[in-house]
Amino acid sequence: MYSDMHVHSSASCDSDASIWDICETAIERGIEAVALTEHVELHPNDLCYGKFNYDAARRTFEKAKEKYDGRLILLFGAEVTYRSEIESLIGRFLESHRFDVVIGSVHDAPPINFWDPANSALVRSNPALAKGALKVYYREVKSMAATGLFNIVGHLGVYQRYMPNVWPDVVGDDELSDILHEALEEVCANSRLELNSNVMDRPGHLPSPSVEVLKIYREMGGKPPTFGSDAHSAEAVGKNYSSAEKVLKAAGFSGFASWKDVARVSY
Ligand SMILES: [Zn+2]
Ligand SMILES: [Zn+2]
């Protein structure tokens, strides 16, 4: 039995997955708990800006929670896109909206849009530009974790998701490695990492974070990571769990965090 702590239902602007299909699939697969971590984006440049309807999502969630009571643990969550420039806005939003679990994610590394694989050539051919983008990325992760607003730091290293094997080696570069360590220090103190398995079944794709980064995090005293499929369809709930577990163990952890270690509610 395990918990999938990162799933998007149709309450997220980029998912069509019905909460009912998600629950049925999770039960079929023997999953103990599912956190519905819907996209909350509070900056106009973000894809799901203004599209999350808290009350509607909450109503549907409560119906599902009642229907599956005793068969599946459901958590009402959010994946908040963090940007330091709107940190106080995010803080106010989280103060006024109740969630069982909150993931904080950095989805940006200016000036490089890492969601468009067409930028791979640019990253490969301009290491200085890529390094600059990674500095921005890891500094944002550091600020995000330092806020203490987030139970989980989502998919660290996600810039590799659609652009694997083109970025500078963060651990091997002194300057980047220092920033990574500073970010992990804040994660260890105020949050925990997720091991995001989203693209692990694609040849050549790494988990986020990599084994190497997970090892450093563990050595720094980091708490066991959560497992997150980052599913945007019912079919993807719990996806790649066993390969993620292998990565976790290779990094020296004995197991994933349970939902109980992370959630702000008891059942
Ligand atoms: Zn999404
Ligand atoms: Zn994300």
Side-chain angles (χ1 to χ4, degrees), residues 223-242:
K223 299 181 201 75
T226 53
F227 167 76
S229 67
D230 208 344
H232 287 67
S233 68
E235 179 50 36
V237 174
K239 194 173 148 188
N240 300 326
Y241 178 77
S242 38

Side-chain angles (χ1 to χ4, degrees), residues 6 8 39 79 105 107 115 155 158 161 196 230:
H6 190 157
H8 296 277
H39 284 297
E79 182 191 13
S105 294
H107 287 119
W115 298 100
H155 50 51
V158 70
R161 182 178 292 184
N196 190 296
D230 208 344

